Amino acid sequence: MDWLGIGVTVIGVAFLVLVIVLIKPLNKLAGVLGGLQKTTDNLPTQVDEMMSQAKDALQTGNDTLSQINTQIKELSPIFHTIGDAGRATNHLSTSIADKVMNVKTDTAEGRSFITKHDLEGLYGLGTLIYYIVQKRKSEERL
């Protein structure tokens, strides 16, 4: 044999050893790739199912929001009425507070008038009533 034949034989034996060594890892890789193939085969159907479920959930959410909007539109006049009643109540309570403060001031003025002129007892009561009547008449003119 010449050198070329010996070199080809050595290379052939090296490849044979390499193939024998790589058989087990290549079989494992083939198994992993087979499992990956099974998983990816089911992937389109799973994605379709997830998309249809997401679509159903979004449609249900849209329907719920539509119902809520309709109900709020129906309740808006009630809320406006409640707001108007609150504003009217606020105006009334402000008016009452103003009247109470005026009566308090008027009473203090009447008390000082009675004390100043020594009008006490029954005469003082009559004077106080007269003073209140005069005050009411002056308020009615305004």
Side-chain angles (χ1 to χ4, degrees), residues 2 24 37 52 75 87 121 129:
D2 53 349
K24 190 171 184 178
Q37 180 65 36
S52 66
L75 291 176
R87 283 187 287 280
I129 291 172

Side-chain angles (χ1 to χ4, degrees), residues 28-47:
K28 287 185 179 181
L29 180 62
V32 168
L33 291 175
L36 183 63
Q37 180 65 36
K38 288 179 184 177
T39 302
T40 55
D41 286 343
N42 295 333
L43 190 61
T45 58
Q46 290 174 349
V47 169

Side-chain angles (χ1 to χ4, degrees), residues 72-138:
I72 286 177
K73 285 179 185 176
E74 291 173 1
L75 291 176
S76 288
I78 294 172
F79 291 139
H80 290 297
T81 304
I82 291 171
D84 292 343
R87 283 187 287 280
T89 304
N90 186 17
H91 180 67
L92 178 65
S93 65
T94 303
S95 298
I96 290 172
D98 289 342
K99 293 293 182 186
V100 167
M101 291 306 291
N102 287 339
V103 168
K104 184 177 178 183
T105 303
D106 294 343
T107 306
E109 290 174 4
R111 217 178 278 145
S112 66
F113 180 78
I114 291 171
T115 306
K116 180 177 162 184
H117 297 286
D118 293 327
L119 302 173
E120 297 174 354
L122 189 56
Y123 183 68
L125 180 63
T127 305
L128 181 61
I129 291 172
Y130 176 75
Y131 178 73
I132 290 173
V133 169
Q134 290 300 321
K135 189 66 173 174
R136 280 194 184 159
K137 285 181 182 178
S138 67

